Amino acid sequence: MGLPHLEYLFIENNSIKSISRNSFRGLKSLIHLSLANNNLQTLPKDIFKGLDSLTNVDLRGNTFNCDCKLKWLVEWLGSTNATVEDIYCESPPEYKKRKINSLSPKEFDCIITEFAVYESLPYQSLSVDTFSYMNDEHVVIAQPFTGKCIFLEWDHVEGSFRNYDNITGTSTVVCKPIIIETQLYVIVAQLFGGSHIYKRDIFANKFIKIQDIEILKIRKPNDIETFRIAEDWYFVVADSSKAGFTTVYKWNGNGFYSHQSLHAWYRDTDVEYLEIAGKPHLILSSSSQRPVIYQWNKGTEFDKRLEIQDMEDVYAVKHFRVKEDVYICLTRFIGDSKVMKWGGSAFLDLQRMPSRGSMVFQPLQISNYQYAILGSDYSFTQVYYWDTEKAKFVKFQELNIQAPRSFTHVSIDKRNFLFASSFKGTTLIYKHVIVDLSA
């Protein structure tokens, strides 16, 4: 302090291990600075800020650790007009003896992400779905033990989720929203008392039941998928009873009617809609045979195309895309779960994940990050991250969730949340956090 005219400063051979980012503030006339031959492993960001007259810097003879904390120095070396003697990395091993002056900021991967617990909802749940309605994002959660569909909306002022409405039934397993021409409908699948379709009445500000789903076909619903082909809206219910039919329903302008029955008596546990080579497909998972792929034929119905080989006892199949490639995550309660890639005529093995007690293996894309989350009834939930260079998933994070059944991504106010349902514990909301280690 108080040395605004100081031009030369030598702090050499002093065994200095650390230094404050404010050490040289106010030295506006400083021309030459030497910190040579000390024990510095890093330098704080912006330590040279305000030293506008600086023409020479000597940092030789230090043991620099070339990690994210030193990324700023690499960027500064590329932009400063000052002459800086060559300096070298001492660690980590892969950077040892590399010239720091020649490093590129692109060599430092300093952006990391994680899922941090944001909120705990005091109830158990099975399915979680998100939908946009009336210019806002909503979440609907199926509560099997209370029989409710709980609807949440985002409070933009408080920055939290609040109750919006609910539909009360019995043994509710899925609450599936579908919006047709700005009108919100909800398909409520129940194990007892039949399944129903509700309509949101904006004038009465409540949900009104408009239709029952035939109980002779849908006896034990386990999953619902909604989709659109051309201008027509559909939903399909996977039925897991011995005498049930997985059934496709089509919107006719006034309600949904049975369009096609699939896979009778096969006890289907999951249905997934996806497009392969621009054509609509369904994948049905069953407790009694391998997953079956159906293809839409010329605008009328789905035809059985093929089975996924060597994959018995698959509980669910979910798909994701990386650029133009189509992949699927296959969940198994016993044995390894799998990631497979479409090879042009069939899905081919890509990766196996050890799984025990898994009933959900959900791929999710959040911003530019592709994840796959493998739940377990007996151990921690494993979050995997897609490594673009290796073209496969790598272990990323463990989450402590009791008996997870579904994972859903919700994006609101430039924030990203992960809803994790729990069959035995509390429903958890995680926030997707992005951290810059070089900051």
Side-chain angles (χ1 to χ4, degrees):
M1 298 293 290
L3 300 171
H5 304 297
L6 184 66
E7 294 182 350
Y8 293 86
L9 179 58
F10 299 87
I11 314 177
E12 302 173 344
N13 301 292
N14 278 278
S15 301
I16 296 172
K17 292 183 178 180
S18 63
I19 191 165
S20 164
R21 74 171 62 224
N22 299 315
S23 295
F24 308 123
R25 292 291 165 86
L27 303 184
K28 298 180 180 180
S29 302
L30 194 64
I31 295 172
H32 188 106
L33 171 65
S34 177
L35 292 168
N37 301 315
N38 285 290
N39 293 328
L40 293 168
Q41 292 188 0
T42 192
L43 289 171
K45 189 175 182 179
D46 295 334
I47 191 172
F48 303 133
K49 187 175 182 179
L51 306 185
D52 300 330
S53 301
L54 204 59
T55 59
N56 291 88
V57 179
D58 191 350
L59 299 172
R60 292 174 297 174
N62 286 287
T63 57
F64 287 116
N65 179 31
C66 295
D67 61 4
C68 287
K69 292 181 180 178
L70 213 64
K71 180 182 177 181
W72 77 268
L73 180 61
V74 174
E75 294 172 335
W76 181 81
L77 288 171
S79 62
T80 184
N81 292 321
T83 299
V84 182
E85 301 291 342
D86 289 345
I87 50 177
Y88 297 86
C89 303
E90 186 64 28
S91 60
E94 60 267 28
Y95 283 92
K96 188 176 177 67
K97 302 305 179 184
R98 287 192 62 182
K99 189 189 297 185
I100 297 177
N101 312 60
S102 301
L103 293 178
S104 167
K106 294 180 180 179
E107 296 186 54
F108 295 84
D109 185 9
C110 299
I111 304 297
I112 64 167
T113 63
E114 68 171 355
F115 292 98
V117 175
Y118 185 78
E119 190 176 349
S120 177
L121 304 177
Y123 44 74
Q124 296 146 323
S125 57
L126 273 179
S127 73
V128 181
D129 277 282
T130 179
F131 60 98
S132 298
Y133 179 63
M134 305 289 285
N135 299 317
D136 220 336
E137 292 296 318
H138 296 76
V139 177
V140 57
I141 301 171
Q143 295 179 295
F145 300 109
T146 63
K148 291 183 178 180
C149 296
I150 297 293
F151 293 83
L152 305 177
E153 65 178 354
W154 179 252
D155 187 323
H156 295 273
V157 177
E158 297 294 330
S160 61
F161 292 93
R162 64 188 179 195
N163 286 336
Y164 172 70
D165 205 343
N166 66 77
I167 296 173
T168 302
T170 55
S171 61
T172 302
V173 292
V174 183
C175 307
K176 196 72 176 182
I178 180 171
I179 297 174
I180 302 174
E181 296 177 352
T182 73
Q183 177 61 59
L184 171 63
Y185 301 92
V186 181
I187 305 128
V188 180
Q190 302 181 148
L191 294 181
F192 305 103
S195 298
H196 314 284
I197 300 174
Y198 290 79
K199 174 183 177 180
R200 182 69 181 178
D201 190 320
I202 59 174
F203 299 106
N205 199 32
K206 64 179 182 180
F207 288 100
I208 299 172
K209 186 170 73 172
I210 62 167
Q211 188 179 341
D212 296 325
I213 298 175
E214 60 250 82
I215 198 168
L216 292 178
K217 289 186 177 180
I218 306 301
R219 298 172 180 267
K220 192 178 179 183
N222 208 69
D223 186 36
I224 298 176
E225 186 86 330
T226 61
F227 54 94
R228 190 179 188 181
I229 299 176
E231 298 302 316
D232 296 318
W233 285 98
Y234 301 83
F235 73 85
V236 54
V237 183
D239 189 276
S240 59
S241 69
K242 291 182 180 179
F245 298 79
T246 289
T247 305
V248 179
Y249 293 84
K250 181 179 180 180
W251 174 254
N252 68 358
N254 297 308
F256 290 91
Y257 67 92
S258 177
H259 179 72
Q260 183 183 6
S261 291
L262 305 169
H263 224 212
W265 308 327
Y266 276 110
R267 299 170 62 190
D268 295 324
T269 53
D270 179 82
V271 57
E272 177 79 346
Y273 174 82
L274 71 163
E275 290 191 0
I276 301 174
K279 298 178 181 179
H281 287 72
L282 292 176
I283 302 180
L284 298 184
S285 302
S286 170
S287 57
S288 59
Q289 72 170 117
R290 300 167 182 150
V292 179
I293 301 175
Y294 286 82
Q295 179 176 311
W296 186 253
N297 70 2
K298 298 180 181 179
T300 56
E301 292 185 337
F302 287 98
D303 288 334
K304 183 177 176 180
R305 180 175 178 182
L306 71 156
E307 296 181 359
I308 298 177
Q309 298 300 313
D310 302 321
M311 280 302 290
E312 287 76 15
D313 299 318
V314 172
Y315 182 80
V317 175
K318 303 299 177 188
H319 84 285
F320 67 99
R321 294 177 180 274
V322 177
K323 296 182 179 178
E324 299 301 318
D325 294 321
V326 179
Y327 299 83
I328 53 174
C329 293
L330 301 95
T331 314
R332 299 174 80 185
F333 192 79
I334 299 172
D336 291 344
S337 293
K338 271 188 183 181
V339 179
M340 304 182 81
K341 179 182 179 181
W342 180 252
S345 59
F347 281 102
L348 307 175
D349 283 6
L350 179 70
Q351 193 174 3
R352 289 176 176 265
M353 273 73 168
S355 61
R356 180 172 171 267
S358 297
M359 297 187 74
V360 56
F361 188 15
Q362 180 68 55
L364 292 169
Q365 183 165 356
I366 302 178
S367 299
N368 295 322
Y369 303 94
Q370 178 67 56
Y371 300 99
I373 307 178
L374 181 62
S376 173
D377 282 14
Y378 304 126
S379 62
F380 288 105
T381 288
Q382 296 290 338
V383 181
Y384 295 88
Y385 172 74
W386 182 262
D387 188 314
T388 53
E389 291 185 3
K390 297 178 180 178
K392 67 177 185 178
F393 285 110
V394 295
K395 276 191 175 182
F396 173 73
Q397 186 179 353
E398 290 184 340
L399 304 177
N400 188 11
I401 306 165
Q402 288 184 279
R405 293 295 181 267
S406 66
F407 299 99
T408 301
H409 165 229
V410 183
S411 180
I412 301 174
D413 287 352
K414 296 182 180 180
R415 305 184 199 183
N416 289 290
F417 298 97
L418 173 70
F419 275 72
S421 71
S422 171
F423 187 64
K424 295 182 179 179
T426 57
T427 301
L428 294 173
I429 305 174
Y430 292 85
K431 185 178 181 182
H432 184 250
V433 181
I434 300 176
V435 181
D436 187 351
L437 297 178
S438 67

